[in-house]
């Protein structure tokens, strides 16, 4: 099935047409800077611009940087608080005239890695961590997703919020060397391991391409591997989520 997958991020909003049977991109990946402030109206305009550039009129899946409960936005870490309480799939459907399905951005990235990527056929507990403006997480048990974990907001033992300590944005802002940032990320992963004991940890986002530079700093027992789809995972997973939801309503 062909679905337009869109990944709404803190810095950019990306989209591509996805073939959901393979996870393959059927079009060019188009990226537009995220609006400031990222209000519903402004994000809606940007999403419409992506749709127009793809000449698209079919189903759409969106990975969104918030906890999404029964279609309603519950958090707003990197978007405008005006989104909280909004039935976001209905909102974007009305804005675009297309059937739209929306889920947490890290959750859909995890779906892509579980279906076609680094965690394909993985059994047991899998933790996917997307490293970017914040730390997104997706937690799976034998392939089943526990949605909206938002474990990047967990407090470390000295009261620091994890994503304000170990995200890619923090590394860039503080100009940390890979080994120093790797120590920070390791501290977070060690905390996750103590809480969830994953059998596999998959690191996504741009920083995962540099895993070789900080891998020596990682001390968790679970294998740690880079995401196969890197920054494409959100778009691919959003399309997979939309396919799943559309199938459930038929």
């Amino acid at each position: 099935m062909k679905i337009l997958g869109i990944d709404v991020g803190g810095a950019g909003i990306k989209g591509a047409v996805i073939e959901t049977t393979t996870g393959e991109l059927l079009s060019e990946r188009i990226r537009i800077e995220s609006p400031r402030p990222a209000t519903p109206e402004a994000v809606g305009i940007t999403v419409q611009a992506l749709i127009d550039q793809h000449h698209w009129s079919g189903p759409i899946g969106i990975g969104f940087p918030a906890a999404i409960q029964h279609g309603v936005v519950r958090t707003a870490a990197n978007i405008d608080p005006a989104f909280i309480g909004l039935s976001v799939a209905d909102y974007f459907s009305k804005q675009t005239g297309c059937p739209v399905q929306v889920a947490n951005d890290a959750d859909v990235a995890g779906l892509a890695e579980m279906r076609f990527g680094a965690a394909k056929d993985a059994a047991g507990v899998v933790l996917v961590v997307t490293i970017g403006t914040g730390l997104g997480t997706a937690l799976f048990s034998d392939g089943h997703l526990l949605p909206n974990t938002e474990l990047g907001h967990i407090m470390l033992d000295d009261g620091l919020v994890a994503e304000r300590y170990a995200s890619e944005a923090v590394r860039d802002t503080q100009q940390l060397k890979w080994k120093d940032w790797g120590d920070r990320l390791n501290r977070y992963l060690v905390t996750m391991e103590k809480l969830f004991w994953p059998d596999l940890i998959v690191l996504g986002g741009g920083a995962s391409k540099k895993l070789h530079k900080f891998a020596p700093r990682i001390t968790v027992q679970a294998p740690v591997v880079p995401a196969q789809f890197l920054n494409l995972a959100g778009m691919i997973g959003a399309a997979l989520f939309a396919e799943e939801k559309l199938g459930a309503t038929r």
Side-chain angles (χ1 to χ4, degrees), residues 224-240:
V224 178
V225 300
Q228 181 173 316
F229 293 114
L230 304 175
N231 284 332
L232 302 179
M235 296 183 300
I236 296 169
L240 295 178

Side-chain angles (χ1 to χ4, degrees), residues 156-168:
L156 303 175
D157 51 21
D158 57 2
L160 285 169
V161 176
E163 69 175 20
R164 296 179 186 171
Y165 177 74
S167 69
E168 174 78 353

Side-chain angles (χ1 to χ4, degrees), residues 48-158:
Q48 185 63 58
L50 279 175
I51 293 169
D52 293 343
Q53 289 185 50
H54 281 97
H55 307 289
W56 187 254
S57 59
I60 298 169
I62 299 179
F64 202 73
I68 309 291
Q69 185 182 41
H70 307 303
V72 176
V73 176
R74 298 301 187 192
T75 62
N78 296 306
I79 51 174
D80 194 271
F83 268 108
I84 293 178
L86 183 67
S87 182
V88 68
D90 290 340
Y91 177 79
F92 286 133
S93 294
K94 291 175 183 176
Q95 290 284 101
T96 64
C98 298
V100 178
Q101 302 292 336
V102 182
N104 175 266
D105 54 354
D107 284 350
V108 298
L111 289 174
E113 294 299 330
M114 292 296 296
R115 177 82 63 88
F116 298 117
K120 183 180 179 182
D121 301 324
V125 177
V126 176
L127 174 65
V128 180
V129 181
T130 58
I131 306 166
T133 307
L135 292 175
T137 58
L139 190 63
F140 296 84
S141 178
D142 290 331
H144 298 286
L145 171 68
L146 175 65
N148 297 314
T149 48
E150 294 285 337
L151 296 172
H153 300 294
I154 199 167
M155 285 192 177
L156 303 175
D157 51 21
D158 57 2

Side-chain angles (χ1 to χ4, degrees), residues 178-179 181-183 185-186 189 203 207-220 222 224-226:
W178 283 107
K179 65 180 184 65
W181 178 78
D183 288 337
L185 182 66
N186 182 62
L189 295 180
L203 300 182
S208 61
K209 292 185 290 187
K210 304 292 186 180
L211 179 57
H212 63 282
K213 292 191 174 184
F214 59 88
R217 319 302 291 191
I218 305 300
T219 64
V220 293
V224 178
V225 300

